[in-house]
Amino acid sequence: MKLTLAYSPCPNDTFAFHAMTHGLIDTDGIEFDVVHTDIEELNKKAVKNSFDICKMSYHAFFMLAHEYAMLRSGSALGYGNGPLLVSKRNNINPNNVNVLIPGDKTTATLLLKIAFPEITKTTPTLFSEIERLILEDKYYAGVLIHESRFTYKEKGLVLIEDLGKRWQQISGLPVPLGGIAVSRKLDPLLSRKLSSLIKKSIEFAKDNPGPSANYIKEHATEMSESVIEKHIDMFVNDYTLNIGIEGERAVKALYNKSMEIYPNLVGRDDLFI
């Protein structure tokens, strides 16, 4: 059996999926046709139901929950790892400027809407370009995700708001950033097997980090080993192995908040499989 599997080139994803896509664990006869692309491109392609298994932002998933279900393994979720609203200026008012966002349906954008509901001007931009555009004074503010959240200070940017911490203050729960969704067309037993394989793949990578090192570097935007290590440590955690009760509560809380922002969003209870 061959399934299409799409995930981002970010270190947490390449770390998590390397073993199961490179024959390092037993996948019980399942093969994967792998696609790497930016998270917002994944969000957009998921609308067309392009993949059997797809990493996507929770923001996008909430819009597509009738087509996809989330697996219990593979999520990027936790405390202190949310997106950052930054600028080159200390006294900027984000409500008055055009803010760069890493995609309309990224969770970063949803968290920005929650923290700053008065912001009306945003420009979707490839996440890896946001730092540069602010530093070149082409935009006054932007939301950073992935590796750039570790490097913005040394490049001369300042923090306006930690959007993840703002969510934690509102909800008292961890920040659900993205997860691994499966098409609801797949057999539920197969979907649960896939969740188990992802967990095994992550456990293999944690126990054997060497084999995945070159694969991770090959796809990373920021090549510094220390940044890559920080990225993996921050975004691959116990919630990634199994989202658990608290993780599900966090997702449900963000889902409910989304329905306040998008009145036409139809809620459902079976978000996970």
Side-chain angles (χ1 to χ4, degrees), residues 192-258:
R192 294 187 186 100
K193 180 182 288 187
L194 291 170
S195 192
S196 176
L197 289 178
I198 293 169
K199 184 174 184 287
K200 288 178 182 177
S201 186
I202 295 168
E203 290 172 335
F204 181 93
K206 282 180 172 289
D207 292 339
N208 307 275
S212 62
N214 288 335
Y215 181 65
I216 293 167
K217 284 184 182 179
E218 177 187 343
H219 293 91
T221 301
E222 172 59 58
M223 296 302 290
S224 164
E225 288 189 14
S226 64
V227 171
I228 290 173
E229 186 175 328
K230 287 177 185 176
H231 186 110
I232 293 170
D233 287 344
M234 177 170 280
F235 294 107
V236 182
N237 52 34
D238 288 343
Y239 294 113
T240 315
L241 289 169
N242 188 322
I243 197 162
I245 295 172
E246 184 181 49
E248 285 195 47
R249 283 178 56 222
V251 171
K252 186 65 175 177
L254 190 59
Y255 189 38
N256 291 339
K257 195 69 178 177
S258 298

Side-chain angles (χ1 to χ4, degrees), residues 12-159:
N12 58 307
D13 283 349
T14 49
F15 175 87
F17 285 108
H18 179 256
M20 65 185 280
T21 58
H22 288 74
L24 300 179
I25 63 168
D26 181 6
T27 59
D28 199 19
I30 301 172
E31 297 180 4
F32 300 99
D33 186 5
V34 175
V35 175
H36 296 117
T37 191
D38 167 64
I39 185 64
E40 183 63 358
E41 283 302 306
L42 293 173
N43 293 337
K44 289 176 181 177
K45 289 182 178 180
V47 174
K48 301 176 182 178
N49 218 334
S50 301
F51 310 111
D52 298 311
I53 316 152
C54 182
K55 173 69 176 282
M56 68 176 74
S57 303
Y58 271 105
H59 187 189
F61 169 66
F62 296 153
M63 311 293 176
L64 299 172
H66 57 293
E67 297 284 352
Y68 286 90
M70 273 290 173
L71 297 181
R72 297 179 186 277
S73 295
S75 282
L77 179 143
Y79 292 97
N81 61 1
L84 308 176
L85 178 62
V86 304
S87 176
K88 201 174 172 181
R89 296 161 175 78
N90 282 306
N91 58 352
I92 196 79
N93 183 344
N95 294 321
N96 298 332
V97 299
N98 190 346
V99 179
L100 292 174
I101 56 173
D104 285 321
K105 291 299 179 285
T106 58
T107 305
T109 298
L110 176 58
L111 294 173
L112 181 70
K113 289 176 182 287
I114 293 169
F116 294 93
E118 294 181 8
I119 288 178
T120 57
K121 295 180 181 178
T122 57
T123 298
T125 306
L126 183 65
F127 79 92
S128 55
E129 290 293 299
I130 292 176
E131 258 186 346
R132 178 183 65 79
L133 291 171
I134 300 171
L135 289 167
E136 292 177 356
D137 293 317
K138 293 179 179 177
Y139 290 85
Y140 288 115
V143 180
L144 301 182
I145 60 174
H146 302 326
E147 296 99 314
S148 56
R149 72 186 311 286
F150 299 103
T151 61
Y152 74 95
K153 286 183 181 177
E154 65 190 52
K155 293 183 180 179
L157 298 177
V158 295
L159 181 67

